[in-house]
Amino acid sequence: MMLIPYRQIHLDFHTSPFIGDVGKDFDSKDFVKTLKEAHVNGINVFAKCHHGMHYCDTDLGVVHPSCERDLLGEMLKELKEEGMIANVYFPMGWEETAAEKESWLEVSPQGVLGGKTPFDDYFYKWRKLCLNNKEYRVFMKEQIKELMERYAFAGFWFDIIFQEQCLCKTCLSEMKALGMDPQTEEDRLKHDYQVLEAFQKDIYDYVKSMDETKTIFFNGQWTPDGGYEPDYNIEKRGKYQTHVEVESLPSELWGYNLFPLYVNYHNRFNGECIGMNGKFHNAWGDFGSLRNEEALEFECFRMLANGSKCSIGDQLHPRGVLDTATYKRIGQIYAQIEAREPWCVHDEKISEIGIVMVHHAFEKDMLADEGALRMMLELKQQFDFIKWQDDFNKYKLIILPDRVTFDKEASMKISDYIKNGGKVIATHKSGLNKDESQYLLKEAAITYEGDADYTPMYLDLNGFSEKVDDMLYALYEKGSKVFANNQDQIQAALYKPYYNRTYDCFCSHRQFPHDEKIQEAGIVNTGEVIYISHPLFTDYIVNGVRVYREIIEKAIHDLMGTPIIETSLPSSGEVTVRKQHNRLIIHMSHYIAEKKSKRLELVDTKLPVYGIQMQVNMMGNKDMRKIKPRKVYLVPEMESLDFDYNEGKLKVTIEKLCGHRMLVIE
């Protein structure tokens, strides 16, 4: 397979049939010249759009009524002549022309045809086609074949690959034949998964039967999960595409936590991965907006730091001219990406902590996962999000955040991992079986008795850590009622409040203050497992109490010892460690994301940080132990740095970080 380009554009062209001058000003040479000047080396260009309008030579589709040229053909011809890799964008779930055939539409559980009511004018709302409809699937295949016969291009970017609990005649009869209950959401979601898996396999095999070299990506729901339902795990569908892309415009739809959460699951095996943001201030179709330079930098450098290629989303103006200011901005970013590429190609991830995903295949709650993500980023830990079926023995520490469900097989796996020297942090309900009738993490050495009687509780952290002020700290989210089997292993005790707050029993503005110490345990440390009775990861993402992060930081140090990275870089900075051949590449970044508006997190500032102290534990990983440091330098500047190396620990000072820098150790 060809090397996927690092500097891509995803070019939308969802153009209303009411617009009367489509492609009027398009010039293929100016188009490609603008891209090349912006350091772009790959692009997704459109065959058709969500409106169902085609912009290519077709006998099967509806050409946009005002498009008098083969836009796709002109683009592909010039892109090929200039040596630029091009994929064809092809939407499937939203296609307004095909949606005119009502029998092809999904039927929602509420009976709404296409999932869209007659007068719905909300953003990002289109009539949804059912990917299980056999006639519609044949229709799409014929269009795919036509494109492959008439044009030369690298691959397909298939869009809108999801189902929305469809109950059309096809889906309803199929569910009944499979013994599923269409009245239950769980069975509807399971059927959605089966439809998508069969659909992807069908289209993937069809394309590959005609051209084995084509890259294929299906853009839809690639939310990671912990593998609790192996038949419905996201990676089972993932084998029917050539790579993974994480669409995440950190704006009104996604935020700044989604990309690092998803990518630290999808990149754990070093497969091809692409991150996608956008040039828009809000999200897709936001004409007349331009993303802040600092934001685009942060997002693209984050992609590099996580082993991903970059793809910036844009939408071409109907007349066919790329916006000058947009591509000047993109060029400023992609010039920096290009300069860094030599230290990114064929790099591999280094991790020492595995975090079992809390998220199940058919749920929406990702708070515990998101809280774990924030803590790991802020603590500069090197980690993967993993599923139960992964190899735990490659990690020094396994974290089970808040409500990781166990069964007997999981219990045995954790036991074997601990016997082999592994360490575990578990919080709240992690270790319970699915119906919460048994606690199966026996190495935690606790007796689990259900939900805590009081909320909030108070955790006694007097003498706990030099970083933590001596105090009883409120634990805001409801915890678990547990007792340590060995009282000597209680690391932090609990105090109850006088009462729970109710409508007729309350104190001051919020909760009651602490009353007396109780027998229940707050933190239990066996030396192999640290168990915390409250959902600290959920509590952290909801309430942001720093001491919760400091509790986890101490737990990591107590169990794992010195981590790969220790640094004076503040919690607002991020550090990732990667290996390339016989050298380490350390990415450092410092950008400030602020909630300056009611809807959006914004990045518009780079604050320099000076005199950053960094210690790298070269004994922290078997691949790292092979490297005997001879020189340390910053790239792409090729600036050599003095360093101290003693007993496997390398110490270096970075005088200034403003944005993103890369440190090489070889």
Side-chain angles (χ1 to χ4, degrees):
M1 188 192 303
M2 70 184 70
L3 184 67
I4 291 176
Y6 271 90
R7 292 163 275 119
Q8 299 185 41
I9 293 294
H10 180 86
L11 194 63
D12 268 0
F13 199 62
H14 306 297
T15 305
S16 168
F18 294 108
I19 291 176
D21 53 2
V22 169
K24 175 186 173 184
D25 298 330
F26 179 75
D27 181 283
S28 62
K29 293 192 179 299
D30 287 346
F31 176 78
V32 175
K33 180 174 180 286
T34 300
L35 294 173
K36 294 190 75 172
E37 288 176 350
H39 299 266
V40 174
N41 65 346
I43 187 169
N44 300 328
V45 290
F46 42 85
K48 62 175 180 175
C49 71
H50 291 336
H51 291 278
M53 300 289 100
H54 286 245
Y55 308 94
C56 58
D57 178 25
T58 177
D59 296 325
L60 302 173
V62 177
V63 176
H64 193 287
S66 73
C67 185
E68 298 178 352
R69 62 200 310 165
D70 180 358
L71 274 175
L72 178 66
E74 292 182 47
M75 288 179 178
L76 290 175
K77 181 175 181 294
E78 192 67 28
L79 289 164
K80 182 179 180 181
E81 288 179 1
E82 293 296 325
M84 195 174 294
I85 293 173
N87 301 308
V88 167
Y89 174 85
F90 189 94
M92 292 176 148
W94 293 341
E95 209 267 44
E96 285 291 295
T97 301
E100 290 298 310
K101 192 156 186 174
E102 293 187 350
S103 63
W104 291 359
L105 292 172
E106 284 192 7
V107 177
S108 76
Q110 296 75 33
V112 178
L113 196 60
K116 182 180 179 183
T117 55
F119 302 108
D120 190 344
D121 62 354
Y122 183 67
F123 297 157
Y124 317 116
K125 196 71 173 178
W126 310 78
R127 288 179 291 179
K128 179 66 178 63
L129 289 144
C130 178
L131 303 181
N132 199 28
N133 186 286
K134 305 307 184 281
E135 284 187 10
Y136 180 49
R137 199 179 292 184
V138 169
F139 174 75
M140 285 186 283
K141 283 181 172 180
E142 289 172 347
Q143 291 190 341
I144 288 167
K145 182 180 180 182
E146 182 183 61
L147 285 166
M148 294 179 71
E149 289 175 344
R150 296 187 180 188
Y151 300 102
F153 51 93
F156 277 106
W157 208 93
F158 295 120
D159 201 9
I160 315 301
I161 312 302
F162 56 83
Q163 291 283 100
E164 296 181 320
Q165 301 184 48
C166 180
L167 292 176
C168 70
K169 287 182 179 180
T170 301
C171 290
L172 194 60
S173 61
E174 193 170 277
M175 287 183 72
K176 290 178 179 178
L178 291 168
M180 292 179 160
D181 182 0
Q183 295 181 86
T184 66
E185 182 179 40
E186 182 178 357
D187 277 4
R188 294 195 299 268
L189 290 170
K190 285 182 175 179
H191 183 253
D192 282 355
Y193 182 98
Q194 293 175 1
V195 168
L196 293 174
E197 183 180 13
F199 174 80
Q200 284 185 212
K201 183 180 187 306
D202 189 12
I203 300 299
Y204 180 89
D205 289 346
Y206 183 71
V207 172
K208 289 292 186 177
S209 70
M210 290 184 283
D211 186 347
E212 181 62 34
T213 68
K214 284 278 187 287
T215 58
I216 299 170
F217 174 65
F218 294 95
N219 189 46
Q221 296 160 333
W222 292 106
T223 308
D225 64 79
Y228 304 100
E229 299 90 7
D231 288 341
Y232 300 99
N233 179 252
I234 196 66
E235 290 181 328
K236 192 162 170 275
R237 276 177 49 212
K239 63 186 178 182
Y240 300 118
Q241 57 188 15
T242 55
H243 60 283
V244 173
E245 301 198 24
V246 180
E247 179 189 5
S248 176
L249 283 66
S251 53
E252 60 187 353
L253 297 180
W254 287 274
Y256 274 102
N257 287 341
L258 187 143
F259 174 75
L261 198 163
Y262 281 39
V263 78
N264 277 292
Y265 178 89
H266 288 300
N267 73 357
R268 68 196 192 283
F269 300 128
N270 297 306
E272 282 283 14
C273 189
I274 300 171
M276 179 184 289
N277 58 359
K279 57 81 58 171
F280 313 102
H281 179 73
N282 288 290
W284 300 108
D286 186 16
F287 292 108
S289 72
L290 183 57
R291 197 151 190 80
N292 297 329
E293 180 181 353
E294 296 85 356
L296 272 182
E297 270 192 11
F298 177 39
E299 293 150 23
C300 289
F301 288 144
R302 235 186 183 187
M303 295 171 196
L304 281 192
N306 284 284
S308 295
K309 314 297 172 61
C310 305
S311 179
I312 298 176
D314 183 26
Q315 177 151 350
L316 184 65
H317 188 278
R319 296 191 189 102
V321 178
L322 295 170
D323 181 73
T324 302
T326 293
Y327 284 85
K328 179 182 178 184
R329 173 75 38 93
I330 291 171
Q332 291 167 334
I333 309 305
Y334 274 177
Q336 298 178 72
I337 298 296
E338 185 175 16
R340 288 161 167 77
E341 280 177 33
W343 294 275
C344 299
V345 177
H346 301 308
D347 64 350
E348 297 178 1
K349 187 176 189 183
I350 287 184
S351 302
E352 57 182 348
I353 297 175
I355 306 169
V356 178
M357 288 288 303
V358 178
H359 184 255
H360 288 239
F362 304 118
E363 66 174 10
K364 295 180 180 178
D365 181 2
M366 298 190 76
L367 289 176
D369 297 312
E370 200 172 349
L373 167 81
R374 288 301 334 155
M375 287 195 191
M376 295 304 107
L377 292 178
E378 292 164 17
L379 293 173
K380 319 297 183 287
Q381 300 296 332
Q382 306 306 303
F383 65 98
D384 290 332
F385 280 104
I386 62 176
K387 63 179 183 179
W388 273 114
Q389 292 78 14
D390 289 346
D391 178 10
F392 284 13
N393 291 314
K394 63 186 283 192
Y395 303 104
K396 291 182 179 179
L397 174 68
I398 296 293
I399 295 179
L400 308 171
D402 295 357
R403 53 182 190 88
V404 173
T405 306
F406 270 49
D407 56 21
K408 288 183 179 178
E409 186 178 340
S411 179
M412 291 173 59
K413 183 166 186 169
I414 282 288
S415 292
D416 289 343
Y417 169 73
I418 291 171
K419 287 175 185 175
N420 289 331
K423 308 294 184 182
V424 175
I425 295 172
T427 58
H428 191 33
K429 295 187 176 185
S430 290
L432 284 172
N433 64 352
K434 189 174 182 179
D435 65 6
E436 300 188 4
S437 63
Q438 284 184 291
Y439 192 78
L440 299 174
L441 179 56
K442 61 181 184 294
E443 291 83 4
I446 62 165
T447 300
Y448 189 95
E449 294 195 0
D451 290 342
D453 295 329
Y454 296 94
T455 305
M457 299 275 265
Y458 293 90
L459 189 66
D460 183 1
L461 295 185
N462 285 287
F464 180 75
S465 165
E466 292 181 1
K467 281 191 173 184
V468 177
D469 292 327
D470 291 346
M471 185 175 153
L472 302 182
Y473 287 88
L475 300 168
Y476 294 109
E477 299 294 310
K478 179 175 279 294
S480 295
K481 185 176 185 176
V482 304
F483 297 89
N485 296 343
N486 181 344
Q487 294 294 305
D488 293 337
Q489 293 177 341
I490 295 178
Q491 195 171 16
L494 285 173
Y495 283 67
K496 74 176 186 66
Y498 284 92
Y499 302 97
N500 285 321
R501 186 182 180 97
T502 67
Y503 76 95
D504 61 350
C505 177
F506 52 88
C507 178
S508 190
H509 301 297
R510 296 184 70 92
Q511 68 265 20
F512 278 88
H514 71 84
D515 182 15
E516 60 186 8
K517 184 178 177 180
I518 57 177
Q519 291 299 308
E520 296 163 34
I523 303 176
V524 178
N525 185 347
T526 71
E528 295 175 329
V529 177
I530 290 180
Y531 173 82
I532 301 165
S533 63
H534 280 63
L536 282 198
F537 297 99
T538 299
D539 218 337
Y540 188 67
I541 200 66
V542 171
N543 295 301
V545 179
R546 185 171 69 179
V547 74
Y548 302 161
R549 186 183 75 212
E550 291 169 340
I551 292 169
I552 297 299
E553 181 179 21
K554 177 172 168 53
I556 291 171
H557 278 264
D558 286 353
L559 292 176
M560 197 175 70
T562 305
I564 289 175
I565 295 291
E566 292 187 312
T567 177
S568 62
L569 187 65
S571 63
S572 48
E574 296 181 7
V575 177
T576 60
V577 182
R578 302 189 67 80
K579 181 178 76 76
Q580 187 194 52
H581 311 306
N582 61 343
R583 59 190 180 188
L584 287 186
I585 313 293
I586 299 176
H587 293 257
M588 303 165 285
S589 65
H590 191 250
Y591 294 84
I592 307 297
E594 298 178 273
K595 194 75 180 289
K596 290 188 174 184
S597 73
K598 296 292 186 183
R599 294 187 302 108
L600 308 177
E601 286 181 287
L602 300 172
V603 175
D604 63 3
T605 302
K606 285 191 293 188
L607 288 179
V609 184
Y610 297 93
I612 301 163
Q613 306 294 316
M614 184 172 289
Q615 176 179 283
V616 184
N617 179 12
M618 301 297 292
M619 299 293 106
N621 174 282
K622 62 180 176 59
D623 291 321
M624 296 174 67
R625 287 193 285 272
K626 297 174 185 177
I627 300 170
K628 307 301 180 187
R630 296 176 294 105
K631 56 182 178 178
V632 177
Y633 55 99
L634 294 165
V635 293
E637 303 91 342
M638 303 305 294
E639 176 186 341
S640 294
L641 298 180
D642 295 330
F643 67 97
D644 177 65
Y645 182 65
N646 187 34
E647 296 183 349
K649 293 181 174 61
L650 185 147
K651 295 181 179 180
V652 64
T653 299
I654 297 90
E655 293 300 331
K656 180 181 178 182
L657 171 63
C658 187
H660 174 265
R661 302 195 85 171
M662 295 167 68
L663 182 75
V664 179
I665 300 173
E666 64 179 27

